[in-house]
Amino acid sequence: MPRPQQTPQQRMMQLSKKNNLLPPPHNKSHKSSPSNNSNPPPPLPPHPTSVLCFGSTRSNALGPTPPSVKLHRSPTPAPIPTSHPSPITPTISAGKSLTVLASEDGNLYSWGSGELGRDAKNRSIGRIKGIAPRSRSGQWAKISVGEEHCMAIDGSGRLFGWGEIQGGRVGSGAMRGGKSGGSQSRVQTPREIVFDFDQPASEDGDDTPTPTPTPTPTVTDVSAGEKHTAVIAHSRVYTFGCSDAGQLGTGKLSSSAIPSLVPSLASTPILAVSCGVNHTVAVTRRGTAYSWGWGENGRLGLGADTSKRLVPTLISSLQDDLTYVSSVACGDRHTVLTTDSGDILSFGWNLYGQCGIGISTMASSSADVALDLDSGDLDDPARTQSDVLTPTLALHSRIVTQVSCGFAHTGLVTARGELFMFGMGEEGQLGSGHEANSYAPQITDVDPNNYGLRALSVACGHTHTVVVVGNESLLQNEERRRRGEERKNMGRRITRFGRRILFRRMLKKLYKPRPKPVIVQAKPKAAIVVVEEEVVDLREVEREREREERERVEKKQVLQRLEQQKKMELKQEQQRLEQQERERIDQQLKKELHQKELERIEQLRKEEERIQLEEIARERRRQQQQAEAEAESEERERKLMKIEDTQAEEVRTARTEKIRKYKEKKELKRVQDEALKARLEKSRQESLQKAKERFKKSIVKPPQPAKKKPTTQPSFSKVASMGDRLKDISDAKKEKEEKMRREEEAKRAKTQILEEKKRQQRELMVAKREDRLQAEREEKERLEQIRWEDEREEREQREMEEREAQEALAVQHAMERDEDRRRRILDEKVNEADRKARGEDEITMNVRQGNNQHQGDFASAKQWGRKLSKGGGNKGVVSHRGASR
């Protein structure tokens, strides 16, 4: 009965039990202790690798959970069913609330929100349909998850994308078959992205671009940001998606749905790239780093300059002989770099400690600040800094192999399998067991039950974290099994090759028909036999012939072997000479390239010095122009103040003159009034006197009685009444004139006040108009200055680009000339070696022909002599003269 076939997991468990690699059972200890009964340890994972997750459960980021569970503070097994067909590989990625991982059988699985590539009703882990790798190993090289889209690279270098197409973030303009796998705003199933790539840059550091295009894609790295994506193909950077902050690096703010080559990095071999929310960072093969996009919070690592960059800018603080950057990871607003020695450099937003520096010093270079894990007082929030503007050393006592950044937290995996987490921990995304931020790297325990688990990779999402862990013993057994399978497959291939090819060749050699040797029998002349002839033994003659034939064949084989050995020696000598010549030419070319590189570096240094001097001169001119503008402004203000003082003095003089005239007029009016009053008084007195006289004349004197002493004064009532009336008339007239005068004065005062207000309003309007005109003139001059500076900068940029293009073209021409010269030298050497070989072959053939001729004559003579000696016997041989011997 045939034995049932085992799955890889069952085979691994069987091998682990056979080698006593499984831990002892915990049943007895748990039964004896009630506390252990309540929290039994989880069973050993059936696969060599397993997935742990912790953080917020919002949007099912950690799989299906009860509504009462809001977060997991410590590592918890991911929602992967026990009947999973294949172990999980360390290739994993986490987005805002979505996680995608790859299995060993070549399938992709995901859980969380987004329903990208799987059934929307399936809230647990589900396989992404419509996609399969094309590589021989059947595994995925890289997965990257953005906010609303996913990207993946298979083992053969094909690029796939699916998700939201807004802004062109999934490259919908270059998809094979269009975006037919989804709705108008989303590509539901993965689609291959096909576009033409340029030839890769040389690996030895040659920056000369090769313009020949190739349609075969070889994508080595991909990173998905919030609304844009970056891809590395043939050591070049291609970007597509939204470019509202210049994160595409093309110098424009327009979006693109087709992958576009970053122009300024076209001649620079790129090793790794990573995308944040609206910034991008790339690492070159020379160990330097370029950044572009939004620069707020220092996420570009360019120091105090946090402006927006539309083209890649070199991070100058990393230009150190001892610093070689090998990888990069970008969070929302911070960036983490990994060096070849395993150190960590971080910069950007550090409000929650996601940069991991643990101190408040604003570093100016990558070697200013270092974190010692053995020191204390590093988790003090008062010592943190909200922004880290330049790359700062965050961890140097471990060798870091992998880094992942989330919204405000960071995860590291070391070569020992340790997991370090730091940053925001308010939702348990650090896995430390509590909801607190960490401002320095802290170890997160991924093996609380001592099962020998080690962290293989980590992926940080928005507020959750996913870790792939592996059992050390199971991994070793799996590695041994894989090597055994590889050896068996190699043995099968060799056996198949031997059976198909070698066995046929051996049979063909063995049963190859040999040509029959041609025996030439010499016919001697007839001899006169005097005595009785002896009978010749024909078998002996045949054996002699066969022996001679064997000797001839052996000599021929020896000569052939000597000839072959000589040809082999000549060929080896020729190859040695060609190798020496090739090495000499390569060394000479390397020296020339090194000299050209040194010259180019010197030119770049001189160009930088010239640019610095131009910047200094430009700054001085700007300061001088600013000082002149300030002096001119002061002079203009002084003139305006002088004009205003003159106008005020004129106004005061006019007002004084007006007041003087008004006083003179008033005095004249008073004098006239007094004169009028005197005349009226005089006329009244005269009228009174005339009235008295007329009254006296009109009175008839009566007879005078006896004089008596008057008792009362004589009554002049009529006269008095007339005087009073005249006085009243005069007073009324005076009052009327006084009233008229006061009304006239009030009108004059009111008119004067109105005129004064109008004059003040006119002066204010004139002053405002002058100020407005002055401000417009200054604004116009400032805009003209800015436009002139922009034109000058554009002109300088164009000149610099033209110079760089000319230098690149000159270097390319020089390389082509060197290559042609080296090819001509090699051709001449090969032709010379061929001529020598042909001459030596001709000499060898002549020598061999002469030897064969001499050997044939000698063999025929010897054979004839032997026959004659044997034919005589004891009786002797009669010569042609008849004499016997």
Side-chain angles (χ1 to χ4, degrees):
M1 181 177 179
R3 185 175 59 182
Q5 187 178 2
Q6 293 180 340
T7 63
Q9 291 75 25
Q10 293 174 353
R11 185 166 58 254
M12 293 303 301
M13 293 297 293
Q14 183 178 359
L15 291 174
S16 301
K17 292 178 181 179
K18 182 178 179 181
N19 298 328
N20 293 326
L21 296 176
L22 294 177
H26 298 271
N27 296 334
K28 295 181 180 180
S29 59
H30 293 316
K31 288 181 180 180
S32 60
S33 174
S35 61
N36 291 336
N37 259 339
S38 60
N39 294 318
L44 187 68
H47 302 302
T49 57
S50 58
V51 181
L52 303 177
C53 53
F54 44 89
S56 175
T57 61
R58 187 167 51 251
S59 299
N60 296 321
L62 305 183
T65 53
S68 59
V69 180
K70 300 300 182 182
L71 52 88
H72 290 294
R73 301 179 182 86
S74 58
T76 305
I80 300 176
T82 56
S83 60
H84 193 266
S86 177
I88 298 299
T89 64
T91 305
I92 191 170
S93 180
K96 185 175 182 180
S97 56
L98 178 70
T99 304
V100 179
L101 54 87
S103 64
E104 199 177 47
D105 57 0
N107 291 322
L108 292 179
Y109 297 87
S110 67
W111 68 82
S113 66
E115 294 85 24
L116 297 179
R118 58 185 175 87
D119 189 3
K121 298 180 180 179
N122 187 6
R123 303 179 67 85
S124 62
I125 184 171
R127 187 174 70 86
I128 298 177
K129 301 178 181 179
I131 185 171
R134 196 175 60 182
S135 62
R136 180 177 297 176
S137 61
Q139 294 184 0
W140 293 91
K142 182 68 179 293
I143 302 172
S144 182
V145 181
E147 184 179 9
E148 291 292 338
H149 71 292
C150 303
M151 308 298 296
I153 305 173
D154 65 356
S156 60
R158 295 190 303 170
L159 179 64
F160 293 86
W162 66 98
E164 187 72 30
I165 68 173
Q166 183 180 4
R169 66 187 75 179
V170 294
S172 56
M175 283 187 172
R176 187 186 296 275
K179 58 181 182 61
S180 59
S183 61
Q184 295 297 327
S185 63
R186 183 184 295 259
V187 177
Q188 189 66 30
T189 58
R191 292 287 174 181
E192 183 181 357
I193 299 175
V194 181
F195 56 98
D196 290 341
F197 295 84
D198 290 339
Q199 289 286 353
S202 60
E203 301 292 337
D204 56 355
D206 185 11
D207 292 343
T208 305
T210 305
T212 306
T214 174
T216 305
T218 306
V219 181
T220 57
D221 195 9
V222 65
S223 179
E226 184 180 14
K227 296 180 181 179
H228 73 292
T229 306
V231 177
I232 295 180
H234 301 307
S235 299
R236 305 278 179 84
V237 180
Y238 295 82
T239 56
F240 49 92
C242 183
S243 184
D244 53 356
Q247 58 265 40
L248 297 187
T250 58
K252 302 177 182 178
L253 296 177
S254 58
S255 302
S256 175
I258 300 175
S260 303
L261 177 66
V262 178
S264 58
L265 296 179
S267 60
T268 304
I270 303 300
L271 179 63
V273 68
S274 182
C275 299
V277 172
N278 45 25
H279 76 288
T280 310
V281 181
V283 176
T284 66
R285 294 187 180 274
R286 295 183 177 180
T288 59
Y290 289 83
S291 60
W292 61 92
W294 194 259
E296 190 179 358
N297 305 114
R299 68 192 72 182
L300 300 182
L302 302 178
D305 187 5
T306 59
S307 60
K308 180 167 56 178
R309 298 301 176 98
L310 302 182
V311 294
T313 304
L314 179 65
I315 302 178
S316 58
S317 58
L318 296 176
Q319 288 183 319
D320 188 4
D321 296 337
L322 301 178
T323 304
Y324 185 93
V325 182
S326 60
S327 64
V328 61
C330 292
D332 274 25
R333 285 178 279 180
H334 71 289
T335 307
V336 179
L337 303 175
T338 307
T339 64
D340 58 343
S341 59
D343 297 335
I344 290 298
L345 303 172
S346 59
F347 50 89
W349 188 41
N350 192 34
L351 181 62
Y352 298 99
Q354 56 266 37
C355 290
I357 59 175
I359 55 177
S360 60
T361 304
M362 182 61 66
S364 60
S365 67
S366 63
D368 288 341
V369 182
L371 177 62
D372 189 1
L373 294 178
D374 298 331
S375 62
D377 298 334
L378 293 179
D379 281 341
D380 185 9
R383 302 180 63 190
T384 60
Q385 180 69 33
S386 60
D387 292 336
V388 180
L389 301 181
T390 55
T392 305
L393 189 63
L395 183 64
H396 71 284
S397 59
R398 299 288 193 278
I399 298 177
V400 178
T401 59
Q402 194 248 338
V403 183
S404 180
C405 299
F407 166 69
H409 70 291
T410 308
L412 313 176
V413 175
T414 65
R416 299 178 182 176
E418 301 170 326
L419 176 63
F420 285 87
M421 301 294 298
F422 50 92
M424 182 179 181
E426 297 177 357
E427 297 193 25
Q429 57 264 50
L430 301 184
S432 57
H434 51 80
E435 305 170 19
N437 301 334
S438 177
Y439 298 89
Q442 302 288 341
I443 294 180
T444 299
D445 190 7
V446 296
D447 187 19
N449 299 307
N450 297 324
Y451 281 157
L453 299 179
R454 297 292 182 266
L456 301 180
S457 63
V458 62
C460 296
H462 192 75
T463 55
H464 72 287
T465 307
V466 183
V467 185
V468 178
V469 298
N471 186 278
E472 191 171 2
S473 59
L474 294 181
L475 288 174
Q476 291 176 359
N477 292 338
E478 181 70 16
E479 186 66 23
R480 293 193 195 99
R481 183 187 66 80
R482 289 180 181 175
R483 291 179 181 175
E485 290 292 336
E486 290 178 359
R487 286 194 293 268
K488 289 181 181 179
N489 294 333
M490 182 61 69
R492 293 191 189 100
R493 287 195 292 270
I494 293 173
T495 304
R496 193 180 300 112
F497 176 76
R499 288 176 179 175
R500 292 181 179 178
I501 307 298
L502 296 180
F503 189 65
R504 292 180 182 176
R505 291 181 181 176
M506 291 172 63
L507 292 177
K508 190 175 181 180
K509 274 192 173 183
L510 186 61
Y511 294 101
K512 184 178 180 180
R514 298 181 179 180
K516 294 182 179 181
V518 179
I519 300 175
V520 181
Q521 297 182 359
K523 295 182 179 180
K525 295 180 180 181
I528 301 173
V529 180
V530 180
V531 294
E532 185 180 357
E533 276 189 7
E534 184 179 1
V535 180
V536 179
D537 190 358
L538 295 178
R539 289 179 297 179
E540 186 68 25
V541 173
E542 188 69 25
R543 284 194 297 271
E544 184 67 22
R545 289 176 181 176
E546 291 178 358
R547 188 174 58 80
E548 290 176 357
E549 183 66 24
R550 283 197 301 271
E551 290 178 357
R552 187 181 64 79
V553 172
E554 289 177 357
K555 289 180 180 179
K556 185 177 180 181
Q557 290 177 355
V558 169
L559 289 175
Q560 288 179 356
R561 284 196 297 271
L562 290 174
E563 184 180 356
Q564 290 178 359
Q565 186 176 1
K566 192 172 181 179
K567 284 185 178 181
M568 186 64 68
E569 291 176 355
L570 288 174
K571 187 175 181 180
Q572 291 178 356
E573 182 67 21
Q574 182 180 356
Q575 290 178 355
R576 187 179 62 81
L577 292 175
E578 289 179 358
Q579 183 67 22
Q580 290 179 358
E581 184 65 21
R582 195 179 296 109
E583 290 178 355
R584 187 184 64 78
I585 293 173
D586 290 341
Q587 289 179 0
Q588 185 177 359
L589 290 175
K590 286 181 180 180
K591 288 181 181 179
E592 293 177 358
L593 289 174
H594 182 66
Q595 185 66 25
K596 289 180 180 179
E597 184 67 21
L598 292 177
E599 292 177 357
R600 192 176 67 82
I601 292 173
E602 184 66 23
Q603 291 179 358
L604 290 175
R605 187 182 61 78
K606 290 181 180 180
E607 186 67 19
E608 290 178 357
E609 292 180 355
R610 185 183 65 79
I611 292 173
Q612 290 178 358
L613 293 175
E614 289 180 356
E615 289 291 337
I616 293 172
R618 193 182 301 112
E619 183 67 22
R620 289 180 178 175
R621 288 197 300 271
R622 189 182 64 78
Q623 292 179 358
Q624 184 177 1
Q625 292 176 358
Q626 186 177 2
E628 292 177 356
E630 291 178 355
E632 185 178 356
S633 177
E634 291 178 357
E635 182 67 21
R636 194 183 301 107
E637 290 179 357
R638 188 176 59 79
K639 289 181 179 180
L640 289 175
M641 292 175 63
K642 187 174 181 180
I643 291 171
E644 291 177 356
D645 294 341
T646 304
Q647 292 178 355
E649 186 66 27
E650 291 177 355
V651 169
R652 286 195 298 272
T653 304
R655 186 175 180 182
T656 304
E657 183 68 20
K658 189 179 293 185
I659 291 172
R660 185 182 61 77
K661 289 182 179 180
Y662 175 74
K663 287 183 178 180
E664 289 180 355
K665 188 174 180 181
K666 188 175 181 181
E667 184 66 22
L668 180 62
K669 182 66 175 176
R670 187 182 62 79
V671 171
Q672 291 178 357
D673 291 342
E674 289 181 354
L676 179 61
K677 187 178 180 181
R679 287 197 302 272
L680 291 174
E681 183 66 23
K682 185 177 179 181
S683 62
R684 188 179 68 81
Q685 292 292 338
E686 290 177 354
S687 300
L688 184 61
Q689 186 65 26
K690 289 179 180 181
K692 286 181 179 180
E693 289 178 357
R694 285 195 302 270
F695 180 74
K696 286 180 180 180
K697 289 180 181 181
S698 62
I699 296 174
V700 179
K701 292 183 179 180
Q704 295 183 352
K707 293 184 180 180
K708 294 181 180 178
K709 189 176 180 177
T711 57
T712 59
Q713 291 289 340
S715 176
F716 298 95
S717 58
K718 292 182 180 181
V719 176
S721 60
M722 289 179 65
D724 293 335
R725 283 196 299 271
L726 291 173
K727 187 176 181 180
D728 293 335
I729 292 170
S730 177
D731 292 337
K733 190 176 182 179
K734 288 179 180 179
E735 288 177 0
K736 186 176 181 180
E737 290 175 355
E738 185 68 22
K739 184 177 180 181
M740 291 175 64
R741 185 181 61 79
R742 283 196 301 270
E743 289 177 357
E744 187 177 357
E745 287 179 356
K747 288 181 180 180
R748 284 197 301 270
K750 189 174 181 180
T751 304
Q752 186 176 2
I753 291 171
L754 292 175
E755 290 177 354
E756 184 68 21
K757 286 184 179 180
K758 290 181 180 179
R759 184 186 61 78
Q760 290 179 359
Q761 290 178 356
R762 285 196 300 272
E763 290 176 356
L764 184 60
M765 290 174 63
V766 170
K768 286 183 179 179
R769 186 170 63 255
E770 290 293 333
D771 294 340
R772 186 174 63 257
L773 293 174
Q774 182 65 23
E776 291 177 355
R777 286 194 296 271
E778 291 177 356
E779 183 68 19
K780 187 176 181 180
E781 292 174 356
R782 187 177 66 82
L783 293 175
E784 187 70 22
Q785 183 70 17
I786 292 173
R787 186 180 63 79
W788 181 79
E789 290 180 356
D790 292 339
E791 291 177 355
R792 181 174 54 79
E793 289 178 356
E794 291 178 357
R795 188 167 58 254
E796 292 176 354
Q797 184 68 20
R798 286 195 300 271
E799 293 175 356
M800 185 179 297
E801 291 177 354
E802 292 176 357
R803 286 197 300 273
E804 291 177 354
Q806 293 176 0
E807 291 175 358
L809 189 60
V811 172
Q812 183 178 359
H813 290 336
M815 288 295 296
E816 292 176 353
R817 289 196 299 272
D818 295 340
E819 185 67 23
D820 293 337
R821 182 171 58 82
R822 185 171 67 85
R823 193 180 294 108
R824 287 196 301 272
I825 292 171
L826 287 175
D827 293 339
E828 292 174 359
K829 294 292 181 180
V830 171
N831 294 333
E832 184 68 24
D834 292 338
R835 286 195 296 271
K836 289 181 180 180
R838 284 195 297 271
E840 291 173 356
D841 291 339
E842 291 175 359
I843 294 171
T844 304
M845 291 295 295
N846 293 331
V847 171
R848 188 176 62 183
Q849 290 176 3
N851 292 335
N852 292 337
Q853 185 178 1
H854 291 305
Q855 288 175 3
D857 296 339
F858 175 78
S860 61
K862 186 176 180 182
Q863 184 178 4
W864 176 247
R866 286 176 180 174
K867 289 180 180 179
L868 289 177
S869 62
K870 289 182 180 180
N874 296 327
K875 300 286 181 74
V877 179
V878 180
S879 65
H880 66 284
R881 294 181 181 180
S884 63
R885 296 180 183 180

